[in-house]
Amino acid sequence: LRWHRRIGLSMVVAVLVLVFTGILLNHSPGLKLSEKTFHSPWLLKWYGIEAPETTGFQIEGKWLIHPGGNTVFFDQQPISNCPAPLQGVASYQSMLLALCQDTLLILTTEGELVESFSVLQGLPSDLTQLQANERGILLSASTNSYLLDIKSLQTTPTEPVETGWSKPATIPTSLVDELTSQIELPVTARQGQSRSI
Protein backbone atom coordinates (compact mmCIF):
# COMPACT_ATOMS: atom_id res chain seq x y z
CA LEU A 1 0.00 0.00 0.00
CA ARG A 2 2.88 2.38 0.87
CA TRP A 3 4.61 1.76 -2.47
CA HIS A 4 1.31 2.05 -4.34
CA ARG A 5 0.77 5.46 -2.75
CA ARG A 6 4.32 6.62 -3.59
CA ILE A 7 4.11 5.49 -7.23
CA GLY A 8 0.65 7.07 -7.54
CA LEU A 9 1.88 10.41 -6.22
CA SER A 10 4.88 10.30 -8.54
CA MET A 11 2.62 9.65 -11.52
CA VAL A 12 0.33 12.54 -10.47
CA VAL A 13 3.33 14.89 -10.49
CA ALA A 14 4.39 13.62 -13.95
CA VAL A 15 0.85 14.03 -15.32
CA LEU A 16 0.61 17.56 -13.91
CA VAL A 17 3.94 18.49 -15.57
CA LEU A 18 2.68 17.08 -18.89
CA VAL A 19 -0.60 18.99 -18.57
CA PHE A 20 1.14 22.26 -17.69
CA THR A 21 3.73 22.03 -20.48
CA GLY A 22 1.02 20.93 -22.94
CA ILE A 23 -1.01 24.05 -22.14
CA LEU A 24 2.09 26.19 -22.64
CA LEU A 25 2.82 24.56 -26.01
CA ASN A 26 -0.82 25.01 -27.11
CA HIS A 27 -0.51 28.71 -26.40
CA SER A 28 3.07 29.15 -27.64
CA PRO A 29 2.21 31.75 -30.36
CA GLY A 30 0.52 33.99 -27.80
CA LEU A 31 3.32 33.49 -25.30
CA LYS A 32 5.94 33.93 -28.05
CA LEU A 33 7.74 30.78 -26.95
CA SER A 34 9.14 30.25 -30.43
CA GLU A 35 11.13 33.49 -30.02
CA LYS A 36 12.73 32.41 -26.75
CA THR A 37 16.24 31.02 -26.62
CA PHE A 38 18.22 29.44 -23.82
CA HIS A 39 21.91 29.49 -22.92
CA SER A 40 22.35 26.98 -20.10
CA PRO A 41 25.64 25.25 -21.05
CA TRP A 42 24.68 21.83 -19.64
CA LEU A 43 21.25 21.92 -21.28
CA LEU A 44 22.70 22.94 -24.65
CA LYS A 45 25.28 20.14 -24.35
CA TRP A 46 22.60 17.63 -23.35
CA TYR A 47 20.60 18.32 -26.53
CA GLY A 48 23.67 18.56 -28.78
CA ILE A 49 23.05 22.26 -29.42
CA GLU A 50 25.71 24.93 -29.64
CA ALA A 51 25.69 28.68 -30.12
CA PRO A 52 26.87 29.61 -33.63
CA GLU A 53 30.39 30.93 -34.09
CA THR A 54 30.65 34.69 -33.59
CA THR A 55 32.52 36.36 -36.46
CA GLY A 56 34.03 39.83 -36.21
CA PHE A 57 35.95 42.29 -38.36
CA GLN A 58 37.70 45.35 -36.95
CA ILE A 59 37.73 48.42 -39.16
CA GLU A 60 38.64 52.01 -38.32
CA GLY A 61 38.58 51.28 -34.59
CA LYS A 62 35.09 49.78 -34.72
CA TRP A 63 33.83 46.21 -34.82
CA LEU A 64 31.32 44.65 -37.18
CA ILE A 65 30.18 41.46 -35.48
CA HIS A 66 27.90 38.64 -36.54
CA PRO A 67 26.85 36.30 -33.71
CA GLY A 68 25.01 33.95 -36.08
CA GLY A 69 21.36 34.16 -37.00
CA ASN A 70 20.33 37.05 -39.21
CA THR A 71 21.58 40.23 -37.54
CA VAL A 72 24.91 42.02 -37.87
CA PHE A 73 26.10 44.40 -35.12
CA PHE A 74 28.15 47.58 -35.17
CA ASP A 75 30.00 47.20 -31.87
CA GLN A 76 26.95 46.44 -29.69
CA GLN A 77 24.24 48.05 -31.84
CA PRO A 78 22.14 45.89 -34.19
CA ILE A 79 22.34 47.26 -37.75
CA SER A 80 20.34 45.14 -40.14
CA ASN A 81 19.31 41.68 -41.22
CA CYS A 82 22.26 39.98 -42.83
CA PRO A 83 22.27 36.15 -43.04
CA ALA A 84 25.32 34.48 -41.53
CA PRO A 85 28.17 34.16 -42.08
CA LEU A 86 29.75 37.60 -42.22
CA GLN A 87 32.20 37.16 -45.12
CA GLY A 88 34.08 40.45 -45.23
CA VAL A 89 34.21 44.13 -44.30
CA ALA A 90 35.81 47.08 -46.11
CA SER A 91 36.03 50.87 -45.97
CA TYR A 92 35.40 52.86 -49.16
CA GLN A 93 34.89 56.64 -49.65
CA SER A 94 33.69 57.33 -46.10
CA MET A 95 31.43 54.28 -46.20
CA LEU A 96 31.67 50.88 -44.58
CA LEU A 97 30.71 47.72 -46.48
CA ALA A 98 29.73 44.39 -44.94
CA LEU A 99 29.28 41.23 -47.00
CA CYS A 100 27.07 38.49 -45.58
CA GLN A 101 25.95 35.25 -47.17
CA ASP A 102 23.81 36.81 -49.91
CA THR A 103 23.65 40.49 -48.96
CA LEU A 104 25.96 43.49 -49.12
CA LEU A 105 25.33 46.23 -46.56
CA ILE A 106 26.45 49.80 -47.22
CA LEU A 107 26.86 51.77 -43.98
CA THR A 108 28.01 55.15 -42.77
CA THR A 109 31.15 55.26 -40.62
CA GLU A 110 28.80 55.54 -37.63
CA GLY A 111 27.13 52.24 -38.49
CA GLU A 112 23.89 53.61 -39.96
CA LEU A 113 22.42 51.55 -42.80
CA VAL A 114 22.46 53.36 -46.16
CA GLU A 115 21.62 50.52 -48.54
CA SER A 116 21.08 46.77 -48.50
CA PHE A 117 21.92 45.02 -51.78
CA SER A 118 21.02 41.33 -52.12
CA VAL A 119 21.16 38.51 -54.65
CA LEU A 120 17.51 39.24 -55.48
CA GLN A 121 18.57 42.73 -56.61
CA GLY A 122 21.46 41.55 -58.76
CA LEU A 123 24.30 40.83 -56.36
CA PRO A 124 26.27 37.82 -57.66
CA SER A 125 25.60 34.65 -55.68
CA ASP A 126 28.06 32.58 -53.65
CA LEU A 127 30.29 35.55 -52.79
CA THR A 128 32.88 34.77 -50.14
CA GLN A 129 35.28 37.75 -50.03
CA LEU A 130 35.30 41.54 -50.06
CA GLN A 131 37.94 44.26 -50.34
CA ALA A 132 38.25 47.89 -51.36
CA ASN A 133 41.36 49.37 -52.99
CA GLU A 134 42.35 51.98 -55.58
CA ARG A 135 40.44 50.03 -58.24
CA GLY A 136 37.22 50.21 -56.26
CA ILE A 137 35.12 47.59 -54.48
CA LEU A 138 36.04 44.02 -55.30
CA LEU A 139 33.90 40.97 -54.59
CA SER A 140 34.95 37.37 -55.03
CA ALA A 141 33.17 34.05 -55.45
CA SER A 142 34.96 30.71 -55.64
CA THR A 143 36.12 31.17 -59.25
CA ASN A 144 35.10 34.71 -60.25
CA SER A 145 35.92 38.25 -59.13
CA TYR A 146 33.69 41.29 -59.64
CA LEU A 147 34.08 45.06 -59.54
CA LEU A 148 31.14 46.86 -57.92
CA ASP A 149 30.02 50.35 -58.99
CA ILE A 150 28.83 51.86 -55.72
CA LYS A 151 26.58 54.41 -57.44
CA SER A 152 24.65 52.08 -59.75
CA LEU A 153 25.20 48.91 -57.71
CA GLN A 154 26.17 47.14 -60.92
CA THR A 155 28.83 44.44 -60.92
CA THR A 156 31.18 43.63 -63.78
CA PRO A 157 33.50 40.61 -63.99
CA THR A 158 37.18 41.37 -63.52
CA GLU A 159 40.41 39.41 -63.46
CA PRO A 160 40.85 37.25 -60.35
CA VAL A 161 42.55 38.88 -57.37
CA GLU A 162 44.60 36.74 -55.01
CA THR A 163 45.46 39.07 -52.13
CA GLY A 164 44.05 41.95 -50.09
CA TRP A 165 40.80 40.33 -49.00
CA SER A 166 39.51 41.28 -45.56
CA LYS A 167 39.96 38.67 -42.85
CA PRO A 168 38.06 38.17 -39.59
CA ALA A 169 39.85 39.01 -36.36
CA THR A 170 39.71 37.69 -32.82
CA ILE A 171 37.00 39.65 -31.00
CA PRO A 172 37.92 40.92 -27.50
CA THR A 173 36.34 38.71 -24.83
CA SER A 174 34.90 41.76 -23.04
CA LEU A 175 33.02 42.80 -26.21
CA VAL A 176 31.67 39.29 -26.78
CA ASP A 177 30.50 39.11 -23.14
CA GLU A 178 28.83 42.50 -23.38
CA LEU A 179 27.11 41.58 -26.62
CA THR A 180 25.98 38.21 -25.26
CA SER A 181 24.51 39.83 -22.15
CA GLN A 182 22.47 42.30 -24.21
CA ILE A 183 21.00 40.02 -26.86
CA GLU A 184 19.47 36.59 -27.19
CA LEU A 185 21.82 34.62 -29.41
CA PRO A 186 20.22 31.93 -31.57
CA VAL A 187 21.32 28.33 -31.19
CA THR A 188 21.78 25.72 -33.87
CA ALA A 189 22.07 21.95 -33.87
CA ARG A 190 25.63 20.74 -34.12
CA GLN A 191 26.45 19.61 -37.65
CA GLY A 192 30.04 18.62 -38.12
CA GLN A 193 32.87 21.05 -37.51
CA SER A 194 32.12 24.69 -36.72
CA ARG A 195 33.80 27.41 -38.80
CA SER A 196 36.74 28.95 -37.01
CA ILE A 197 37.36 32.69 -36.87
Side-chain angles (χ1 to χ4, degrees):
L1 184 63
R2 185 167 59 243
W3 280 106
H4 178 79
R5 189 185 314 122
R6 289 175 179 171
I7 293 170
L9 287 173
S10 300
M11 292 187 70
V12 165
V13 171
V15 168
L16 287 175
V17 168
L18 288 174
V19 169
F20 178 70
T21 55
I23 290 170
L24 289 178
L25 289 174
N26 259 350
H27 295 86
S28 60
L31 297 171
K32 298 183 178 179
L33 294 181
S34 61
E35 298 174 14
K36 304 293 183 186
T37 57
F38 55 94
H39 305 288
S40 173
W42 71 268
L43 199 54
L44 292 173
K45 187 176 180 181
W46 179 270
Y47 282 98
I49 296 173
E50 59 185 11
E53 197 73 45
T54 300
T55 308
F57 291 78
Q58 189 175 28
I59 187 163
E60 297 185 358
K62 300 289 185 179
W63 282 92
L64 278 159
I65 301 172
H66 205 308
N70 289 312
T71 306
V72 68
F73 288 77
F74 184 77
D75 283 340
Q76 297 150 39
Q77 300 301 317
I79 299 171
S80 174
N81 286 343
C82 201
L86 183 59
Q87 308 273 28
V89 169
S91 174
Y92 183 74
Q93 295 182 352
S94 72
M95 290 179 288
L96 298 179
L97 308 167
L99 176 66
C100 296
Q101 184 181 22
D102 59 6
T103 305
L104 178 69
L105 300 180
I106 302 171
L107 314 164
T108 67
T109 53
E110 300 303 315
E112 295 174 4
L113 182 65
V114 175
E115 185 75 46
S116 177
F117 181 41
S118 73
V119 171
L120 296 176
Q121 298 162 311
L123 186 71
S125 59
D126 301 321
L127 294 174
T128 57
Q129 294 175 304
L130 167 70
Q131 70 168 293
N133 57 28
E134 65 281 352
R135 291 175 57 195
I137 300 166
L138 293 168
L139 304 163
S140 175
S142 56
T143 56
N144 301 312
S145 293
Y146 303 90
L147 195 58
L148 174 70
D149 183 338
I150 196 67
K151 293 180 181 176
S152 65
L153 295 181
Q154 296 295 314
T155 56
T156 54
T158 186
E159 62 273 10
V161 178
E162 299 296 330
T163 59
W165 303 108
S166 61
K167 301 289 183 190
T170 303
I171 308 167
T173 306
S174 58
L175 186 55
V176 174
D177 292 343
E178 250 179 270
L179 186 63
T180 303
S181 69
Q182 290 182 23
I183 64 170
E184 291 292 323
L185 300 180
V187 292
T188 54
R190 186 180 293 116
Q191 294 180 345
Q193 203 74 359
S194 62
R195 194 169 76 91
S196 61
I197 298 180

